[in-house]
Amino acid sequence: MDFFQIISEDRIKKAYEKGEFENLPGYGKPLPNDDLSGVPEELRVAYRMMKNAGYTAEESTLRREMATIEGLIARCTDDDERAALQKKLNQKMLRFNSVMSKRGGKTNSSMFKNYTEKVMKKLT
């Protein structure tokens, strides 16, 4: 044990003996379940850092879905199906850019910027 850990432990022990922890909210109740309880112990720190930085699971899911749809569009031979996939991709891109703008992140598509401007022009 280093010196600071010994001092910390000593102060905690004295505060406990004085009863300073008895009036804390939640005293004597079990701790709430961690939202990362399903994540392996060695990955929890990384997940918390990502969460604190504003990275969300929804963002990751949307990125994967957009990549999948783009792959389907590239391989699609039916024009009607391609149009339906493009519409679905546009919806995912709108949602993705909404999520990114809420967290203050950049959207990575200049094409979408033009599309957004056109939509805003029509709406206003």
Side-chain angles (χ1 to χ4, degrees):
M1 266 194 193
D2 68 341
F3 183 68
F4 292 107
Q5 191 173 6
I6 294 170
I7 290 174
S8 299
E9 291 291 329
D10 186 51
R11 287 186 182 179
I12 291 170
K13 186 187 271 185
K14 286 179 182 175
Y16 183 77
E17 288 169 357
K18 289 180 183 178
E20 293 180 18
F21 296 123
E22 292 176 8
N23 295 326
L24 295 175
Y27 178 77
K29 297 178 185 171
L31 292 173
N33 288 339
D34 189 5
D35 60 340
L36 299 176
S37 58
V39 177
E41 187 75 33
E42 62 272 7
L43 297 176
R44 287 183 189 169
V45 173
Y47 274 75
R48 278 198 184 95
M49 288 173 63
M50 289 171 37
K51 183 179 176 184
N52 291 342
Y55 187 81
T56 63
E58 183 181 14
E59 176 187 342
S60 176
T61 303
L62 287 169
R63 282 182 194 265
R64 278 194 308 268
E65 290 174 356
M66 289 188 308
T68 301
I69 294 170
E70 287 171 347
L72 291 172
I73 290 171
R75 292 176 187 86
C76 187
T77 56
D78 182 24
D79 289 336
D80 292 334
E81 189 176 344
R82 181 178 285 143
L85 286 169
Q86 187 62 50
K87 183 177 180 181
K88 194 172 183 180
L89 178 63
N90 288 342
Q91 291 171 344
K92 297 289 182 188
M93 289 175 75
L94 280 170
R95 181 67 190 138
F96 175 77
N97 285 307
S98 172
V99 168
M100 293 299 288
S101 66
K102 283 181 185 174
R103 90 165 209 212
K106 294 181 181 177
T107 58
N108 40 344
S109 172
S110 61
M111 173 195 78
F112 189 78
K113 183 179 178 187
N114 295 335
Y115 180 75
T116 305
E117 289 171 3
K118 287 179 184 178
V119 169
M120 292 305 289
K121 223 181 234 186
K122 277 195 168 196
L123 293 174
T124 55

